[in-house]
Amino acid sequence: MRELLDGAEAITRGARAAGCNFFAGYPITPATPLLLRMLRDLPNLGGIGIQGEDEIASIGMCIGAAMTGAKAMTATSGPGISLYSENIGMAIMGEVPLVIVAVQRLGPATGGATTVAQGDVQFLRWCTSGGFPIIALCPSSIAECYSLTQHAFNLAEKFRTPVFIATDKEMMSAQQSVDTNTFEHIARVERALAPNHGEFVSYYTRKLADIPAFSPIGGAHLTRFTTSMHDETGMLTKKPSNVNRTSRHLYQKIVTHRDELEFVTRDMQDGATTLIVSYGITARSMWQAARDARSTGKRVSTLTIQSLWLTPEKSLCDAMRGVSRVIVPELNFGQYRLEIERVAYALDPRPDVIGVNRVDGELIEPEEITALIRE
Amino acid sequence: MSEDSMIPGISTYRFPDRPYPFCPGCGHTLTLEHLNTALVKLQLDPHKVVLVTDIGCVGMSDQYFDVNAFHGLHGRAVTYATGIKLVNPDLRVIVLMGDGGIGIGGHHLLNAARRNIGITVLVFNNLIFGMTGGQHSVTTPHGATTSSTRFGNLERPLDICKTVAVNGASFVYRGAAFDKDLPDHIADAIETPGFALLDIWELCTAHYVPNNDFSKGALLQTIQNLGLASGILQRLDAPELARAYHEQFANNQLPITQPQSIEIKFDSALTKTTRIVLAGAAGGKVKSTASALALGGMYAGLWATQRDDYPVTVMTGYSVSEVILSREEILFMGIAKPDILAVLTPEGLAQVPRQLRAMDESQTVYVVPELTERIETRARKIAFDFSRAHPTKKSLALMATAAIVRHANLFPLDALREAISTGQSTDIAQENLKVVAASEFIL
C-alpha cells in the first residue's frame, strides 16, 4: 500500500506492532509528534498514554509502569535526554525494559529546536553515570522507523535494558512516499517471565550474562526493584564479591550478545577502494552520493549503520578490509568517526578515515561526499 | 468487604529477622512500626502492596518489609508510584520519602496532588538531611543550626501539608512519630482512593537533636510556633486519576486512524526529478498545500517527499516547504537548487536567498507580483496575475501551487483534486477545490 508517511507515524505503528502499552512524555520539539500520536492511539488499544509534568516524571512513570509489566516507551530531544540521564542509569541498574526515542536537534542546551543535527550520538552512548553499555538503533528510512522500533522493543524486553531509537528532526517529520507492503514485521520477543510457582529471587541469574526472569509488581511473586548496587535478592550491598558480580552481569548481559546487536546494510561494489559509512538522515546523503558517483563510472561501497551502539565492530571491520579510504559524513564534528577510527586501528593496512561534517542545520549535500570519491 | 481483607491472619509485614538500621532514637523506626501496625490492621495481601522508597535514610526502609519493594532515585519516588498505579489501579502504592525528597522532588508532589493519583505518601520529616551529614532541608525551621547553616537557617520552612492540600490532595494529615494513633491515620490514608499524604515529624538524633538541643517537647513546640496545624487537615472526595483514566477510555473509544492508501489513478508526464520549494508565511497553509502536492504526485504514480522548515513560533514568521517528485525512489531530501521556487510572501523570500542564487536559466521562480522586483536570480521569473482571481492569505499557497502544477505540467490537476478530496475533511476540501478552480486565472 502506497502512503505518504513521516517517521513519527512509522515509529508509532512500530510501537503498536511491538505491543507497546504505556507511553509517558513531555512536549518538546521535534519529539512532540510522537507524544501526540501515542496519546491518541494507546487508550484505544487498552494502553495508557500520559503527559508528565516534566521529562523526569515522564521517564519515571515509564519505569514504574515497565516494572508493573507494561511495555513502555518515551520520546524526547537532547535537552530531555539531559533530564532523563539519572533515570536512564536507574533503568540500567534496575534492569528495566524501556524504549527511549531520542529525536536530535541542533546544539547544546536549547540549541535549534526545529533544526536537524546528529550531535547527540556520543551523548546517547555515555548518557548516564557509571560507564555501562547502552543499545541505540538509528533508522535511515521510514521503513526502518517501523522495523527498528520493533527491534528496539524486542531488545529492551530480551535484555531488560533501556534501548534508544536515535533519530532526528528530519526523520521524525519529513514525509516520504512509501510502500507499506514492504515494511518488515518482526516477531515479538516477550520478557522472560518467572513461573508462577516456586521461589522467585528478583535479580537471580544462573550465569553472569543471563537475564533475570521477570515478575511484575502485583503479580504472582513479591518483587524487589532497586536503583542501588544490590545482590541477587535486590538488597543493597557493598560487599565486593556482590558488587563485582552485579557490575559484571550488567556489562556482560549486553556485551556477550554483541553479535545479535549488529544491524547494518552493506552496499558493496567490487573493486571499490572507497567506503562511505553513515547513519540516520545522513545515510540518505550517502546513498545519493553513491548513486551519483556510480552513474559517472566511479566505484564506491557504502555501509549504513542501524545499530550505533554497541558499535558494530565486526561489520565495520569486514567492510573496511581492503579499502584505502573511509568517508564518514555526519551532522556533528565527527563523533562517530571516532568509532570508525578506533575500529580501523586494528586493520593492516589501515585505511584513511575522512569526515564530512556540517553543524549549520543543513543536510550534507551528496556533492560534498562525491567530491571525495577518487576512482 | 474488599478482596484485600479476605486474606486473614498476617501478624506482621516485617522480615522478623532483620532489625532496622537506624540510629538509636531515630523517628524512622517509630514511623515504620506504625506503618507495619497499619498494614496489619488492614490485612492487605502483601502482593497488592508496593513500598516505593526515595533516597536518604528512609530509602533503606523497604528492605525491612516483606511486600513488593521499589527503591528509586532521590525525589522521584512519586513518579514511579504514579506509573505503577496507572498500570495496576488495584495496587496499594505507598511512598516513603524524607523532607530531602520533598525538596528535590516537590514538583512531582504538587502534580500528584493535583492529579489526585491514588498513592499514599508518608513523609519522614526529621527537618534535616541525615544520611549526608546534617545539612538543612526545605523543612528546617528558621534559625536552626545545621552543617550547612552554621549561624542559623535564614530560610523559612515549607508547609508540605498546605502545599498538597491547596492543590487538591484527597487526604492530608500532620502528626509526629510519637503519636499513638498514627497507625489509624496511616491506615485511613491507605484506604483513601485518591492522593493521600502524611507529614510525620520526627527526631533526627544524629544531627538535628544534638545541634539544636532538640527533644520531643521541642519538636511539638516548634510545630506550634510555626503555626502549623496538626491532625487531619483535608479530606476530599474527588475522582482518582488511574481509575478515571481507565473509565474515560472504556467509555470513549476513538477509532484508530486508518492509513490513507494512495492508488495510482493518473499519469504524469514528468521525466526528471523535480525539486519544488514553496516559500510563504506561517498561517498560509503552506505545509498542507505541500502535502497535497506530494500526494497529488503519488496519485500520478510518482515518488514524493515533503520537508518543512519553520521557526519555533506558531502563527507568525516564515513557512517553507520542500517537495520532491521523481520517477525513482528519492534518497536525498534536501534542495540546494530548486527546479521550481514559489515566492509567496516577504517572510518566505527572506528564507531562500541561497536557493535563488543557485538557480540557473533552466529553472523557474514563480512570484507574487509585489515581490517581482525583489527577486535576483538567473532563473526564469514568472509573476502570478491576480487581476482575475484574488487569493487570500489562506488560499494563496494552494492557488499558486495548483497554477504551477498546470503550468509546469507536473501531473494532471485532477490528481491534485484527488489528493485534496481524499486527504482533507469535506468542508475544507470543498473550499480548496474552489481555490484550485480559480488557479487557472493566475498564470
Side-chain angles (χ1 to χ4, degrees):
Chain A
M1 185 161 83
R2 287 158 51 86
E3 289 185 68
L4 186 63
L5 285 191
D6 60 19
E9 181 66 22
I11 289 172
T12 303
R13 291 188 195 176
R16 270 172 18 204
C20 174
N21 56 8
F22 191 94
F23 183 97
Y26 184 77
I28 181 170
T29 305
T32 307
L34 267 174
L35 168 76
L36 295 177
R37 289 174 215 216
M38 294 305 288
L39 263 53
R40 174 196 73 189
D41 284 359
L42 281 186
N44 299 321
L45 301 166
I48 293 159
I50 185 164
Q51 180 177 316
E53 59 268 27
D54 59 21
E55 280 88 349
I56 295 173
S58 300
I59 187 171
M61 289 180 197
C62 284
I63 291 171
M67 295 314 288
T68 314
K71 278 189 168 182
M73 179 164 96
T74 183
T76 189
S77 189
I81 299 289
S82 303
L83 294 170
Y84 281 7
S85 171
E86 193 183 12
N87 266 310
I88 292 170
M90 182 169 104
I92 292 171
M93 175 57 85
E95 308 198 46
V96 184
L98 175 62
V99 175
I100 304 167
V101 186
V103 189
Q104 295 167 91
R105 57 194 237 184
L106 184 86
T110 310
T114 61
T115 306
V116 67
Q118 296 176 309
D120 299 342
V121 168
Q122 289 286 353
F123 179 41
L124 297 183
R125 170 61 192 93
W126 303 107
C127 60
T128 193
S129 56
F132 281 78
I134 200 94
I135 300 172
L137 306 181
C138 178
S140 312
S141 68
I142 302 294
E144 285 178 6
C145 286
Y146 181 72
S147 61
L148 291 181
T149 300
Q150 297 170 77
H151 282 300
F153 273 96
N154 285 352
L155 296 174
E157 293 293 325
K158 177 169 181 186
F159 296 114
R160 284 187 57 177
T161 195
V163 174
F164 280 116
I165 298 170
T167 182
D168 63 79
K169 180 254 172 183
E170 293 302 344
M171 278 311 303
M172 180 65 39
S173 57
Q175 302 206 85
Q176 301 177 47
S177 55
V178 290
D179 180 357
T180 49
N181 294 333
T182 65
F183 280 16
E184 207 182 340
H185 304 286
I186 316 291
R188 275 190 206 175
V189 175
E190 304 293 349
R191 214 171 297 180
L193 294 176
N196 276 352
H197 302 288
E199 194 192 9
F200 173 72
V201 178
S202 293
Y203 290 106
Y204 168 77
T205 61
R206 197 169 64 82
K207 286 189 291 189
L208 204 58
D210 287 352
I211 313 299
F214 181 83
S215 184
I217 297 169
H221 302 282
L222 294 182
T223 64
R224 199 155 275 282
F225 171 92
T226 180
T227 177
S228 294
M229 188 49 79
H230 53 270
D231 61 19
E232 65 181 18
T233 67
M235 293 294 183
L236 197 129
T237 184
K238 251 196 78 163
K239 197 173 154 193
S241 59
N242 286 340
V243 172
N244 189 48
R245 191 180 198 280
T246 301
S247 296
R248 289 186 184 280
H249 159 67
L250 295 176
Y251 181 82
Q252 293 291 349
K253 74 168 185 174
I254 310 290
V255 172
T256 306
H257 299 275
R258 63 180 318 143
D259 286 352
E260 293 171 51
L261 298 169
E262 295 210 2
F263 294 75
V264 300
T265 309
R266 295 174 189 79
D267 179 9
M268 313 307 276
Q269 193 173 20
D270 276 347
T273 56
T274 300
L275 170 74
I276 322 173
V277 181
S278 195
Y279 55 90
I281 189 72
T282 309
R284 307 187 70 87
S285 304
M286 169 179 80
W287 299 342
Q288 185 66 48
R291 187 194 267 176
D292 294 347
R294 288 168 185 170
S295 73
T296 62
K298 287 181 176 176
R299 281 179 296 183
V300 65
S301 294
T302 71
L303 183 74
T304 307
I305 296 181
Q306 282 104 25
S307 56
L308 288 175
W309 309 113
L310 308 181
T311 311
E313 291 179 7
K314 191 169 171 294
S315 305
L316 274 168
C317 266
D318 289 349
M320 285 195 285
R321 210 165 270 130
V323 303
S324 59
R325 51 172 26 200
V326 181
I327 303 170
V328 189
E330 46 186 336
L331 297 175
N332 56 46
F333 290 110
Q335 292 182 19
Y336 209 72
R337 191 171 77 229
L338 293 171
E339 283 303 300
I340 314 280
E341 284 167 349
R342 183 175 68 74
V343 175
Y345 197 81
L347 296 173
D348 183 24
R350 197 190 312 163
D352 294 331
V353 181
I354 304 155
V356 179
N357 305 93
R358 282 189 90 142
V359 289
D360 61 351
E362 298 288 332
L363 299 173
I364 291 172
E365 293 291 327
E367 293 75 19
E368 296 175 68
I369 302 168
T370 49
L372 297 169
I373 302 170
R374 284 177 182 149
E375 64 282 327
Chain B
M1 294 286 277
S2 74
E3 189 189 340
D4 294 329
S5 58
M6 293 170 74
I7 296 143
I10 299 174
S11 59
T12 181
Y13 287 74
R14 293 257 291 110
F15 288 117
D17 54 350
R18 203 183 292 236
Y20 292 121
F22 306 113
C23 302
C26 172
H28 289 9
T29 302
L30 287 174
T31 303
L32 289 174
E33 273 313 291
H34 292 320
L35 170 63
N36 188 38
T37 307
L39 291 171
V40 170
K41 179 184 175 187
L42 294 172
Q43 286 293 305
L44 300 175
D45 175 358
H47 292 79
K48 299 289 182 196
V49 177
V50 196
L51 293 186
V52 182
T53 56
D54 209 77
I55 293 292
C57 297
V58 70
M60 297 186 285
S61 309
D62 61 89
Q63 300 186 91
Y64 302 89
F65 284 79
D66 197 11
V67 298
N68 292 293
F70 188 112
H71 173 48
L73 298 177
H74 195 25
R76 316 303 169 196
V78 163
T79 70
Y80 313 124
T82 301
I84 293 166
K85 184 75 179 180
L86 281 170
V87 171
N88 190 342
D90 293 335
L91 297 179
R92 308 301 182 98
V93 186
I94 303 166
V95 173
L96 311 179
M97 64 195 300
D99 39 308
I102 297 294
I104 188 171
H107 184 40
H108 309 306
L109 198 73
L110 296 185
N111 284 283
R114 177 181 68 77
R115 292 189 177 108
N116 202 31
I117 182 80
I119 63 176
T120 306
V121 179
L122 270 66
V123 184
F124 292 57
N125 184 0
N126 59 10
L127 316 178
I128 202 160
F129 283 80
M131 193 177 256
T132 52
Q135 297 81 10
H136 73 294
S137 79
V138 290
T139 60
T140 304
H142 183 76
T145 304
T146 72
S147 65
S148 54
T149 56
R150 299 265 172 170
F151 302 105
N153 184 22
L154 294 174
E155 303 172 16
R156 295 189 184 278
L158 179 75
D159 185 336
I160 299 169
C161 291
K162 255 191 188 165
T163 304
V164 294
V166 77
N167 282 295
S170 280
F171 178 95
V172 183
Y173 172 86
R174 180 179 283 119
F178 332 104
D179 293 349
K180 294 283 182 284
D181 58 351
L182 190 54
D184 294 337
H185 293 301
I186 294 174
D188 199 356
I190 293 171
E191 290 286 87
T192 300
F195 179 84
L197 179 138
L198 300 100
D199 177 17
I200 303 161
W201 284 51
E202 296 180 346
L203 294 176
C204 173
T205 48
H207 298 290
Y208 201 87
V209 166
N211 286 323
N212 294 280
D213 196 17
F214 214 51
S215 63
K216 176 180 173 181
L219 182 148
L220 298 174
Q221 191 59 49
T222 302
I223 295 178
Q224 278 204 346
N225 293 350
L226 288 168
L228 299 174
S230 291
I232 296 174
L233 306 179
Q234 181 153 293
R235 199 192 275 281
L236 298 176
D237 185 17
E240 190 276 321
L241 179 80
R243 291 203 188 281
Y245 185 96
H246 290 275
E247 278 164 23
Q248 180 182 67
F249 288 104
N251 301 327
N252 297 286
Q253 292 281 321
L254 288 164
I256 292 281
T257 316
Q258 289 305 311
Q260 188 193 352
S261 177
I262 313 296
E263 309 297 335
I264 301 171
K265 296 181 175 176
F266 306 92
D267 283 330
S268 166
L270 207 67
T271 52
K272 69 183 223 11
T273 298
T274 302
R275 299 175 176 82
I276 304 151
V277 175
L278 307 177
K285 295 193 173 183
V286 175
K287 279 171 70 175
S288 62
T289 296
S291 289
L293 178 62
L295 283 169
M298 289 176 67
Y299 277 114
L302 301 171
W303 293 83
T305 64
Q306 178 190 349
R307 259 183 91 204
D308 305 309
D309 184 26
Y310 40 86
V312 289
T313 49
V314 180
M315 291 299 286
T316 60
Y318 67 92
S319 177
V320 175
S321 286
E322 303 181 347
V323 172
I324 303 177
L325 301 172
S326 180
R327 289 236 159 255
E328 60 181 354
E329 186 179 1
I330 300 152
L331 305 180
F332 178 62
M333 291 190 286
I335 303 182
K337 189 175 177 186
D339 298 290
I340 292 170
L341 172 58
V343 177
L344 304 171
T345 70
E347 299 95 329
L349 175 59
Q351 293 303 310
V352 292
R354 273 188 307 139
Q355 284 92 334
L356 282 169
R357 272 199 302 277
M359 292 170 79
D360 62 36
E361 294 78 3
S362 69
Q363 295 156 339
T364 312
V365 176
Y366 295 92
V367 58
V368 293
E370 61 270 28
L371 295 177
T372 312
E373 297 304 314
R374 289 173 54 188
I375 305 287
E376 285 176 37
T377 181
R378 285 179 293 140
R380 190 159 65 119
K381 253 199 288 191
I382 298 177
F384 296 110
D385 171 8
F386 293 145
S387 60
R388 291 202 292 157
H390 312 285
T392 62
K393 185 188 175 189
K394 285 200 184 304
S395 65
L396 170 63
L398 181 59
M399 197 181 292
T401 299
I404 290 167
V405 166
R406 188 193 293 103
H407 191 261
N409 197 22
L410 298 177
F411 50 77
L413 210 54
D414 278 345
L416 186 69
R417 292 195 179 96
E418 182 80 15
I420 289 167
S421 304
T422 56
Q424 299 172 350
S425 69
T426 315
D427 293 354
I428 294 170
Q430 288 305 319
E431 281 303 306
N432 284 340
L433 290 172
K434 286 182 200 161
V435 174
V436 171
S439 71
E440 70 172 290
F441 301 110
I442 68 168
L443 272 181

